[in-house]
Structure formats: structure tokens, C-alpha cells
Amino acid sequence: MNSAAEAETRPWAEQVAADDDRYRTQLAYLFDRSAFYREKLRAAGFASIRAVGGLADIAQLPLTEKREIRATCTPDNPIGAHLCATPSEIVRIYSTSGTTGTPSYIPLTAGDLDNWVTASARSYQASGIATGQRIVTTYNAGPFVAGAALAAFDRIGLCHVPVGTGNTERLMLAIELLAPEAAVLTPSYAAYLVEWAAERNTDLRSSSVQRVLVAGEPGGGEPAFRTMLEEGWGARVTEAMGIGDIGPALWGECEAQDGMHLGARGFVHVELIDPETGTALEVVDGATGELVLTHLQHRAAPLLRFRTRDHVEVRTTSCPCGRTGPRVRCIGRTDDMLIVRGVNVFPSAVREVVSAFAPRVSGHILVRPKAPGVKQEPPLPVSVELAPDAAADAALAEAIRERLRELLVVQARVDLVPAGSLGRSEYKSKLVEH
Ligand SMILES: [Zn+2]
């Protein structure tokens, strides 16, 4: 097990106390510089910094939604009213893809960028990769914040081999000729490569890659899916997670593989809420809810109680690696969640249940809601792809249906479909047909 840095092993209570000081300073900065938060907090009845209190009182403050920020963008201020820094302080501007076509801009000061790299380096280093090793990456970072995470590999002291997305031959050649110890991919692409290799009788297991670091979408922490990836690659699979507006690799899993540690400790405060009511939930072992994050020492465009739309499960038990603080595993995106007769269902959780039926299934699923919107009437149609040599079999469909009912309390209609008939992705998978 690789050793965690001192900053990551300090008792969590000490971290929270230090974070409380940072939070108060950050709030004073927001009152001073952020037109967006001055107005938002005043409208919520917090006219001054004194009324706001410290971290213990944070749950009384309003949440921040991405669309509120977007609504403040104007031709004169395309970043939004939450912009706090002057143009001369800003050294980089990333963008997020945005579903409406117009990107959201994410500005950073030099200090913000350095903090992002520090946090990302911790998150990735938790995986066990070490100075002097080679790492091949497959992100087309382009305008996206993932670019800042790539700088973390220099910080760790790795030899970074960027190959980008969508050129599998180039990637496999780089692995064969340059012998990297680690590869960074989305879980979907890692799974695609297992199939790609099997179809070409290429032995991925005998490659130099000992660690596969997955990020960019949920899935790397689903036990059955992870097992499939680990067997296919003959490598240890750990995941990392961030959110564009807050930071690129905020969380990273260690070799114990029991949830992601907060690499961004000291930079970000973590809360959990009920996604439907917005009520704060206690961050205790086993709790599930939507992650809400607050910048603690950000300068360019800090966010307060930002809704990430990531639905997570929390672990607070001690970890053998020595890192302290809560860990999370992402169950899915709040946006992908369906409610079937009052029960919350995440497509990634459906995939996890189905994947346990390997080797009879390929692990690919597609949830096909009958009605638009979140609320669905049972049974929920789920297409489950068979493994290449498996035949459709009513007993298998029934067994999957029964397991989904048992574990997720959802009535499903399971349709077995031939191997290769559901879409594959070299980037991120769609688990729901919209
Ligand atoms: Zn650990």
C-alpha cells in the first residue's frame, strides 16, 4: 500500500476545524467580491457575514444550481455574476460542454489552478501509481477541466503519454511499445477495450498495465463491473471523480478499493442532501444522497453549496491506507434517476445487478422508460445484452428480474438482446434511452 501524504492522514476533526477558518475567509471574500452571492444570500435573509456563521451552520444557506449561474451570463459578463476576480488575475478559462449548446466558462487564478493540480495529484496518487512510472491517458481534454487533472501526472512525477480518445490502435500500440504501468480511461472505454482485445485475440492481461484508473462517469466502483474490468485487463482498477465547476479530480480511490478519498480536502467542503427536498443529510457511514460542494479557498469564481447532481454512498470507516475523512462511491447521476412507484432507481445500479450474471451477460444494459420524465409506472423495461455465446433463455430473464426486485425493489421487464446489439462507447455510456 502506498503511503499517504501527511496532509491526507490528519485527524478529520482537525481538518474540519481548519476548514471552518477557510470557509469564514471564503465567505468574507464572497460578500466583498461576488455580486451573485451577495444578492443570493441577502435574498435568503443573510445580510452580512456575521449572520452566516461557520461550517456548522452551512445547511441553513441556500443551495446553488448550475442554471442559476447560467441565468446571470450576459454578453458583457459571459462567465456569470459569480465571477470575483479581475481579468488580470485570471490565468485560464475552461468550459463545460453544457446541454444547451452554449458552454459555461470556468475561470481560474494561478492559485486556483495550482490547488486543482494539488488535489488531483492526491486523488490519482491514492491509486498507488508512483514517481518514475509511465501513464497513458485517453482524454481529449481540449477545452475541458480534465486538462488540469492531466497536469497532476507531472506533479506526481510520472512520465505522461497522452494518446487521446477514439484511436484504439494508437492506444494499444502505445501500450505495447512504451510499456506504461498505468492507463487512464473512462470505465466505458476500459470495458470496450476488453471486448476489442477479445475479438482480436489480443491478450490485454499480459500487457505492462498494472493499474487502470477510471474516471469521467460512474461505474468504476460497481463491484461486478470492476471485477469484469480487472479480469479483462489483468490489472487493478480504481476510480477518480470530479465535477467541472468545482475541480477536476476531487476524489480518488486507494488500493483498498472501498470508496474514493477526498483529494481536495482543505479546498472543498462536502455535504450530502436529499435530491428531492434539498434537506441536508448527515455524512455518516452508509448514508446516500446528492453531493453538495463548497469551495474553501477559491478566488476566480467560488461556489457555495453547489449541487453536483452526483448521487453517492458514504463510507466513514477507517481505511488501511491511513487517509482520513469520508469516502464516497458514486451510484449515479441525479439526472439519470428514475422513480418507479416511489422507488429511486439508478441505471448504473441496474447495470451492477445485471453484471453479476456474467459470464451469461455482456454487462451492457439499456433502461428504456415508457414515459418521458422521472416518474415511471412499473414494469420498467430493461434491455440486457447476452454474452457472445449465450442463448436467450426465459429462466435467465426471470432470474435477473427477480434479483432486480430483491435488491433495488423495482419491478422490471427484462428483455434479453443479442451480444453486440446495444451501443458501445469509446467515451461515456448511455444507460438510459431518452
Ligand atoms: Zn484508503
Side-chain angles (χ1 to χ4, degrees):
M1 195 116 340
N2 68 315
S3 59
E6 199 183 327
E8 296 172 84
T9 55
R10 59 154 56 173
W12 190 247
E14 273 179 34
Q15 181 72 56
V16 173
D19 287 352
D20 187 64
D21 290 341
R22 294 189 182 109
Y23 172 69
R24 289 168 192 266
T25 306
Q26 180 84 85
L27 276 170
Y29 180 79
L30 290 178
F31 268 102
D32 183 38
R33 294 237 200 162
S34 172
F36 178 80
Y37 280 114
R38 241 187 341 257
E39 189 171 321
K40 187 175 170 72
L41 290 171
R42 191 172 295 144
F46 302 95
S48 72
I49 177 79
R50 274 183 306 283
V52 174
L55 270 186
D57 310 305
I58 194 171
Q60 62 179 336
L61 303 183
L63 295 160
T64 303
E65 303 259 9
K66 175 112 177 161
R67 59 176 162 73
E68 289 174 77
I69 305 270
R70 288 187 74 104
T72 68
C73 294
T74 61
D76 288 339
N77 183 0
I79 290 170
H82 66 318
L83 175 64
C84 293
T86 61
S88 66
E89 292 174 294
I90 294 170
V91 300
R92 191 160 308 173
I93 301 175
Y94 286 112
S95 23
T96 60
S97 39
T99 44
T100 55
T102 323
S104 295
Y105 293 113
I106 302 178
L108 298 170
T109 66
D112 294 341
L113 185 57
D114 190 63
N115 291 343
W116 273 21
V117 175
T118 301
S120 300
R122 285 184 196 154
S123 295
Y124 278 115
Q125 196 153 26
S127 71
I129 49 172
T131 306
Q133 294 187 330
R134 284 185 180 174
I135 190 163
V136 62
T137 67
T138 62
Y139 295 142
N140 283 346
F144 307 121
V145 297
L150 299 181
F153 301 131
D154 306 341
R155 179 74 62 87
I156 297 169
L158 300 168
C159 167
H160 177 199
V161 183
V163 298
T165 309
N167 193 333
T168 296
E169 278 79 8
R170 186 197 295 256
L171 171 64
M172 297 313 266
L173 199 63
I175 290 176
E176 186 191 326
L177 298 178
L178 302 176
E181 283 90 350
V184 183
L185 316 108
T186 60
S188 291
Y189 193 29
Y192 171 89
L193 289 168
V194 170
E195 289 187 343
W196 186 94
E199 282 162 15
R200 284 157 187 79
N201 288 319
T202 301
D203 187 10
L204 208 50
R205 297 181 56 85
S206 66
S207 85
S208 59
V209 175
Q210 297 149 16
R211 298 179 196 283
V212 173
L213 280 50
V214 295
E217 61 178 358
E222 291 168 23
F225 191 70
R226 183 186 338 244
T227 300
M228 184 273 287
L229 292 181
E230 293 199 322
E231 285 173 359
W233 280 85
R236 190 186 286 266
V237 173
T238 51
E239 63 174 343
M241 178 173 82
I243 178 92
D245 307 79
I246 301 287
L250 302 168
W251 304 85
E253 211 175 23
C254 73
E255 292 171 287
Q257 297 176 308
D258 189 25
M260 292 176 274
H261 292 285
L262 181 63
R265 60 191 292 158
F267 301 117
V268 166
H269 176 69
V270 175
E271 290 178 89
L272 211 58
I273 60 162
D274 177 327
E276 276 156 86
T277 62
T279 314
L281 303 171
E282 246 191 293
V283 181
V284 292
D285 200 49
T288 64
E290 183 182 326
L291 262 185
V292 166
L293 300 175
T294 295
H295 280 129
L296 292 173
Q297 40 179 321
H298 216 58
R299 305 299 284 182
L303 293 168
L304 176 64
R305 303 200 79 212
F306 182 73
R307 292 192 63 164
T308 65
R309 323 299 290 183
D310 284 317
H311 207 89
V312 300
E313 182 178 356
V314 173
R315 297 256 190 291
T316 60
T317 49
S318 70
C319 189
C321 74
R323 290 176 180 81
T324 51
R327 308 188 293 286
V328 300
R329 184 166 85 87
C330 187
I331 304 170
R333 298 276 301 161
T334 302
D335 300 340
D336 282 345
M337 189 181 82
L338 297 168
I339 303 175
V340 184
R341 201 168 276 166
V343 176
N344 297 351
V345 179
F346 288 95
S348 43
V350 172
R351 177 172 68 183
E352 179 174 348
V353 171
V354 170
S355 296
F357 286 85
R360 285 182 288 170
V361 300
S362 73
H364 293 277
I365 64 140
L366 187 63
V367 177
R368 300 182 138 138
K370 283 176 288 190
V374 172
K375 291 205 165 64
Q376 300 292 320
E377 280 302 309
L380 182 69
V382 179
S383 294
V384 171
E385 201 185 272
L386 290 160
D389 305 320
D393 150 7
L396 175 61
E398 176 57 25
I400 294 173
R401 202 185 66 78
E402 184 57 23
R403 193 77 62 84
L404 287 169
R405 193 189 58 76
E406 257 172 45
L407 296 180
L408 304 182
V409 202
V410 62
Q411 295 245 30
R413 193 191 76 212
V414 172
D415 300 307
L416 298 175
V417 301
S421 60
L422 296 181
R424 299 290 193 270
S425 174
E426 293 179 42
Y427 191 45
K428 299 184 189 186
S429 293
K430 276 237 168 309
L431 301 181
V432 188
E433 189 175 66
H434 286 293

